[in-house]
Amino acid sequence: MTTLAAADVSGFVVRAGFLKDTPYFALGGGEVVFLAGTQIHVPAHSGGLLAADERPDGSGLVTGGDDGRVVEVKVDGSVSVLSERPRKWIDLVACGPSGAVAFASGRTAYVRLADSTEKEFAHARAVGGLAFAPKGLRLAVARYDGVTLWWVNTQGAPQQLDWPGAHHAITVSPDGKFVVTTMQENALHGWRLSDGQDMRMTGYPGKVKSFSWSAKGKFLATSGANAAIVWPFSGKTGPMGQSPLQLGTRSDMLVSMVACHPKEEVVAVGYQDGMILLCRFADNAEVLMRRPGKAPVSTLAWDRDGLRLAFGTEDGEAGVIALE
């Protein structure tokens, strides 16, 4: 059984989640809404809010906007400006270890360190995605024709991983062995970092816009099909030669968002019609978390204990589903 606490928000929900125990909803219109007994509305950007990511310790939410600002919003409603790039759109942000924050505009990625110093990393083409590796201060940048991995605090040459085409969102596996990108075509591309071995994950009817690693990092759940496609990454060659799990299959509806449970091999699956299912890897058992709504699920996130799931849609339906 589940209970639902609705949030009164409007417009596209860019990201939902939890800062410590408090649910938040970052909205495309520029504000962040906290659900803390009463609703607290915090203006974060004077224009659109384009990207958001949580600090690893849950202490703050870092957002980027079309006003050229990178800001940090806290549960008490405080907003601090971390960086400004006038007349640029900050459409990618990523929070890393040791207080580092990465953001990007156009062909340049930036890393702001905890002491407020900033470093620039230029690329020949536009940056498509940012992610920090789990160990060491290492930034993975998705770009046209591949990925560049920078050691933030050293002057050495970056590691280049090449594959033709446009690469967008990027993720590094929790064990640091693999990097995976979504592509402009309906596919994922991955590399094994030890030797640069390529991995192709194709066959999607739609674009992959969401991915999530399982609790122990053995699986990568993805959107883009009429089921959550869950690739195994437990062996040395990742998903190569292995068939993915297909969870929460529906005949006529694509998955728009996935979020793996923080402790169990279970994934929350959001669909284009607003429905949310909970699916178990072992036997594909399903629990209905939310009935179809008005618009595609645009964001899903669990709290640290895996007892509550925050969600948002493209037209401002949002809330928290609690497992009883």
Side-chain angles (χ1 to χ4, degrees):
M1 292 294 293
T2 57
T3 57
L4 181 66
D8 182 18
V9 302
S10 60
F12 195 107
V13 185
V14 174
R15 187 173 176 119
F18 299 85
L19 292 187
K20 304 293 189 184
D21 290 325
T22 303
Y24 71 81
F25 305 90
L27 308 180
E31 69 176 5
V32 178
V33 177
F34 292 102
L35 211 56
T38 58
Q39 282 196 184
I40 302 168
H41 292 251
V42 182
H45 296 276
S46 57
L49 187 157
L50 305 178
D53 194 24
E54 292 165 30
R55 294 282 193 183
D57 62 359
S59 61
L61 180 72
V62 177
T63 64
D66 62 14
D67 57 2
R69 301 197 313 163
V70 180
V71 305
E72 183 168 10
V73 184
K74 297 194 178 255
V75 174
D76 61 8
S78 64
V79 178
S80 53
V81 179
L82 301 182
S83 190
E84 290 191 78
R85 291 293 183 280
R87 298 181 299 282
K88 291 186 182 295
W89 285 33
I90 308 299
D91 55 1
L92 296 168
V93 298
C95 293
S98 308
V101 171
F103 59 97
S105 178
R107 293 181 293 183
T108 306
Y110 306 88
V111 175
R112 181 189 187 273
L113 301 172
D115 64 3
S116 301
T117 59
E118 289 187 2
K119 302 198 174 188
E120 290 190 16
F121 301 92
H123 303 83
R125 303 283 289 272
V127 174
L130 299 171
F132 281 97
K135 295 175 183 174
L137 201 52
R138 196 178 196 197
L139 180 68
V141 179
R143 52 171 170 77
Y144 198 82
D145 286 345
V147 166
T148 302
L149 292 125
W150 302 90
W151 288 104
V152 174
N153 285 325
T154 64
Q155 300 297 318
Q159 182 179 0
Q160 306 286 1
L161 301 169
D162 296 322
W163 187 265
H167 297 259
H168 296 304
I170 185 169
T171 182
V172 184
S173 62
D175 61 10
K177 293 179 180 178
F178 301 98
V179 61
V180 180
T181 64
T182 66
M183 296 199 65
Q184 182 68 29
E185 63 216 63
N186 300 343
L188 297 173
H189 195 81
W191 292 266
R192 186 169 57 196
L193 288 179
S194 61
D195 59 1
Q197 175 68 46
D198 290 287
M199 295 174 284
R200 294 283 288 152
M201 289 156 275
T202 60
Y204 291 89
K207 283 190 173 49
V208 182
K209 295 185 176 178
S210 171
F211 43 47
S212 176
W213 291 98
S214 65
K216 295 178 182 176
K218 292 182 178 179
F219 294 92
L220 180 67
T222 64
S223 69
N226 66 334
I229 305 300
V230 183
W231 297 96
F233 271 82
S234 52
K236 288 183 179 179
T237 56
M240 293 300 91
Q242 301 191 65
S243 297
L245 305 174
Q246 299 189 37
L247 306 179
T249 303
R250 294 175 67 190
S251 59
D252 58 346
M253 195 60 57
L254 290 182
V255 173
S256 60
M257 194 60 47
V258 291
C260 286
H261 192 276
K263 296 182 178 179
E264 308 292 337
E265 290 196 337
V266 166
V267 62
V269 184
Y271 297 85
Q272 291 281 357
D273 63 356
M275 191 168 105
I276 301 173
L277 282 179
L278 196 61
C279 302
R280 189 163 56 196
F281 293 12
D283 56 4
N284 203 357
E286 299 174 0
V287 175
L288 180 66
M289 303 280 279
R290 181 178 188 260
R291 297 186 185 282
K294 301 173 187 172
V297 176
S298 57
T299 178
L300 285 173
W302 291 96
D303 68 1
R304 287 168 183 262
D305 294 324
L307 299 176
R308 294 178 297 163
L309 180 74
F311 74 92
T313 71
E314 292 184 6
D315 75 345
E317 293 179 296
V320 178
I321 302 167
L323 303 182
E324 290 181 346

